[in-house]
Amino acid sequence: MEVESRYVAVRHHVEGLPSEDDFEVKAARVRWWPESGEVLVRNLYLSVDPYQLNRMKRRSASHLAVDGIVPGERIDAYGAGEVVASACEEYKEGDVVAGVLGWEDYTLFRPSPGVLMSKLAASDDLPLSHHLSALGERRRRRRRAPRHARMQFLLICLSVSVAPGGDRWIEHVAGTSGMTAYAGLYEVGRPEAGEKVFVSAASGSVGSLVGQFAKLAGCYVVGCAGTNAKVDLLKNKLGFDDAFNYKDEPDMKSALKRYFPDGIDIYFDNVGGETLEAALANMNTYGRVALCGVISEYTDAGHRAVPDLLEVIYKRITIRGFFAWDFLTRFAEFTGVISDWIRQGKVQVIEDISDGLESVPSAFAALFSGDNIGKKMVKLA
């Protein structure tokens, strides 16, 4: 079998704000044959995530954890698709899979310890797109994972743990936004009923879930976003107690003082920069900060936060960076709890879906211009 597969590539290394002009759509012939031992997947949904920008840079600390992207070559990314041909017993034609695919029409892979892929349950009654946003899917397979495969887990929140005897148990996890939100809030933030929670980038894929989880924990929740429409979404659909447009606030410290006159107990940080500085200035004693992302610093190193460490010391504030895979032991709990919340209508999943492979460049650029709401992904078919 031979198919033509289009794929998205970068024309050159991207050092500042990404634009559509930084990308091109190319085409290649993909060949599969019964003796190859390979699996051919027709991609249905592709995840579009900010961390990819650091991979596109010529140099980045993220390259210590995951390979950089080479201009002109295919870009691997999380996604979901349907098996159209298989030369191994593990995968059958018609299986729906989620894992590391690519910004392309078709992905060819050979099952091995270095390939992160899992089959989704045929009985699942929730939308396939949810497995790239709020939900998770895992299957456990005992095999030794090479170092480069384990490191790729770091930025896409797929996880590895060490079993007795040194064997590796690879947990294939979709829905990285949901797992990140759940682990960051409950394990790092440790909310208690009545506490005050602030969420930055609250209309994004992670922030929109964090706020809803915090409300279910009995907290008072305020989020910030970059448009009035997003503010309305947070208050009127997602149940935040309050929200504000940070672009309307020239003094972030004063703004947070208005919204949290009694101080902040938990800050879930997705942006870094001056928002982190302002949150620390308004934290209560023994406050907790969950550092999830610093998107404001991805395109401008001048936005790096310069926190007042005296605030941290005298208020005994805990600041912790984390990855979802740090909390693998809570994965089963996460999938069961959040699936039930979604089915019961307690959690709303916000997805921003573009159509067609050619929309990947604009979808990616939108992440850094504030145009997206919720989890950004592209639907191919």
Side-chain angles (χ1 to χ4, degrees):
M1 176 185 293
E2 181 176 288
V3 296
E4 181 170 282
S5 179
R6 299 170 302 151
Y7 64 95
V8 174
V10 290
R11 300 178 186 273
H12 46 73
H13 292 290
V14 182
E15 302 299 338
L17 278 170
S19 71
E20 295 181 51
D21 293 337
D22 294 323
F23 299 87
E24 60 183 334
V25 178
K26 305 176 75 173
R29 305 296 295 180
V30 177
R31 297 177 178 85
W32 172 91
W33 60 95
E35 296 78 24
S36 66
E38 295 177 315
V39 179
L40 181 63
V41 177
R42 178 170 63 94
N43 296 330
L44 302 176
Y45 285 93
L46 302 177
S47 180
V48 181
D49 301 292
Y51 84 88
Q52 294 279 25
L53 181 61
N54 290 322
R55 297 185 63 208
M56 296 174 188
K57 296 177 181 179
R58 189 178 301 275
R59 294 180 181 85
S60 171
S62 71
H63 296 177
L64 297 172
V66 65
D67 292 338
I69 292 171
V70 178
E73 296 190 3
R74 64 180 294 276
I75 298 172
D76 57 346
Y78 206 81
E82 180 183 5
V83 174
V84 294
S86 176
C88 71
E89 289 296 322
E90 184 177 355
Y91 297 93
K92 305 295 183 182
E93 182 179 346
D95 284 346
V96 177
V97 298
V100 178
L101 298 170
W103 284 352
E104 57 199 3
D105 290 320
Y106 291 88
T107 297
L108 191 68
F109 74 91
R110 183 189 302 274
S112 71
V115 174
L116 313 178
M117 196 69 62
S118 66
K119 291 191 289 188
L120 303 184
S123 59
D124 198 320
D125 60 334
L126 294 171
L128 177 60
S129 60
H130 283 15
H131 290 274
L132 273 66
S133 55
L135 293 178
E137 185 77 19
R138 80 176 186 179
R139 53 194 296 252
R140 176 174 284 183
R141 176 180 318 167
R142 192 171 186 174
R143 59 191 187 189
R144 184 172 299 277
R147 181 179 182 276
H148 77 274
R150 300 199 305 271
M151 295 306 288
Q152 182 139 4
F153 291 167
L154 190 65
L155 292 182
I156 57 178
C157 299
L158 302 180
S159 51
V160 172
S161 62
V162 182
D167 288 324
R168 300 290 178 180
W169 291 86
I170 297 182
E171 298 289 344
H172 302 278
V173 181
T176 58
S177 298
M179 184 60 188
T180 301
Y182 191 87
L185 178 67
Y186 287 101
E187 289 286 349
V188 180
R190 295 176 286 107
E192 295 183 6
E195 289 193 311
K196 312 297 191 297
V197 178
F198 174 48
V199 185
S200 59
S203 65
S205 61
V206 175
S208 61
L209 294 170
V210 170
Q212 295 181 79
F213 297 165
K215 285 301 300 176
L216 289 170
C219 297
Y220 176 83
V221 183
V222 176
C224 70
T227 70
N228 292 335
K230 292 179 180 180
V231 170
D232 290 340
L233 173 76
L234 297 177
K235 294 193 294 186
N236 299 326
K237 183 172 182 178
L238 301 187
F240 283 57
D241 293 288
D242 213 336
F244 64 94
N245 185 343
Y246 69 87
K247 295 179 181 177
D248 294 337
E249 301 292 347
D251 186 339
M252 196 65 167
K253 290 182 181 179
S254 296
L256 291 181
K257 182 63 176 177
R258 291 200 317 273
Y259 285 97
F260 294 97
D262 297 322
I264 300 169
D265 297 302
I266 300 170
Y267 172 41
F268 197 102
D269 186 19
N270 291 300
V271 299
E274 65 178 13
T275 305
L276 173 58
E277 297 172 15
L280 289 174
N282 284 277
M283 295 292 291
N284 287 327
T285 303
Y286 299 114
R288 287 88 72 196
V289 179
L291 291 179
C292 176
V294 290
I295 194 170
S296 70
E297 302 179 15
Y298 290 174
T299 59
D300 185 354
H303 277 94
R304 287 179 180 163
V306 185
D308 184 344
L309 295 182
L310 287 178
E311 294 272 3
V312 177
I313 294 170
Y314 286 104
K315 293 180 180 177
R316 283 85 87 195
I317 297 170
T318 299
I319 303 176
R320 179 176 177 180
F322 72 96
F323 292 103
W325 66 283
D326 295 334
F327 308 105
L328 178 61
T329 56
R330 298 197 66 172
F331 185 80
E333 170 193 332
F334 153 73
T335 52
V337 169
I338 297 188
S339 295
D340 287 343
W341 282 347
I342 293 172
R343 291 187 177 97
Q344 295 166 12
K346 294 180 178 180
V347 168
Q348 304 297 316
V349 180
I350 306 299
E351 297 174 339
D352 188 345
I353 302 177
S354 300
D355 290 316
L357 185 73
E358 62 281 354
S359 71
V360 168
S362 61
F364 184 71
L367 293 175
F368 300 91
S369 61
D371 292 338
N372 70 296
I373 298 178
K375 172 62 182 176
K376 188 64 185 176
M377 63 186 81
V378 170
K379 181 180 180 181
L380 299 190

